[in-house]
Amino acid sequence: MLKLTYTESSFYLECVTLSLEEWVAQRVILALRVGQSLCIEPSTASFLLPVDLPGIEVLKAEVKRDDRGIIALCACDAEYIEVTLRGSWLLDSSKDAVGVFVTTMSDRAEFFLHKLWQEAQESSASVLSE
């Protein structure tokens, strides 16, 4: 399962070894125990990856092989490609923009997408430090 945690200024992508159903069930139980409201709704989430990142062509091929439509790619401009994922948003309130997005696809696709995102973070961090 991929989990994207969104905040007001950024997001973090991680691979979680639990199944989507197990993770959501644990999150619902936690919300019940602490008396927190929880909104779960089907939705999409998007983020950008540099088009010159090694492995983007492999990602494009993986998307073509996936017939479930969980992941889509769209060229934004000459420098970035937008990755859109279909899954579920978990929010404390239906009006919040801060929350967690979860989705599931093949283990291979999840691992590869996470690896690309990490490489993009590392390359942007090295550019900022120069």
Side-chain angles (χ1 to χ4, degrees), residues 88-104:
S88 298
W89 272 102
L90 284 81
L91 308 157
D92 292 345
S93 161
S94 61
K95 296 178 184 172
D96 279 344
V98 177
V100 175
F101 177 85
V102 290
T103 189
T104 187

Side-chain angles (χ1 to χ4, degrees), residues 119-130:
E119 289 173 7
Q121 299 307 300
E122 291 167 7
S123 68
S124 67
S126 67
V127 168
L128 290 175
S129 66
E130 291 176 358

Side-chain angles (χ1 to χ4, degrees), residues 8-121:
E8 291 179 13
S9 60
S10 67
F11 83 98
Y12 183 77
L13 176 67
E14 64 184 303
C15 282
V16 177
T17 57
L18 292 173
S19 73
L20 179 66
E21 293 79 9
E22 289 173 306
W23 187 86
V24 170
Q26 287 180 4
R27 184 64 183 89
V28 168
I29 290 168
L30 175 64
L32 286 170
R33 288 185 178 161
V34 299
Q36 179 184 46
S37 63
L38 185 65
C39 177
I40 303 172
E41 57 186 44
S43 188
T44 59
S46 300
F47 60 93
L48 300 177
L49 289 175
V51 294
D52 62 352
L53 196 62
I56 288 292
E57 294 305 316
V58 176
L59 179 61
K60 289 178 182 178
E62 186 70 32
V63 170
K64 286 181 183 178
R65 274 194 297 271
D66 178 34
D67 59 350
R68 297 178 299 159
I70 293 172
I71 183 170
L73 302 176
C74 179
C76 288
D77 56 28
E79 295 180 26
Y80 290 97
I81 190 165
E82 181 180 42
V83 178
T84 302
L85 302 172
R86 198 168 41 95
S88 298
W89 272 102
L90 284 81
L91 308 157
D92 292 345
S93 161
S94 61
K95 296 178 184 172
D96 279 344
V98 177
V100 175
F101 177 85
V102 290
T103 189
T104 187
M105 57 188 82
S106 73
D107 290 343
R108 178 181 170 203
E110 288 176 7
F111 175 77
F112 187 66
L113 189 57
H114 183 249
K115 182 177 176 248
L116 286 177
W117 178 79
Q118 286 178 318
E119 289 173 7
Q121 299 307 300

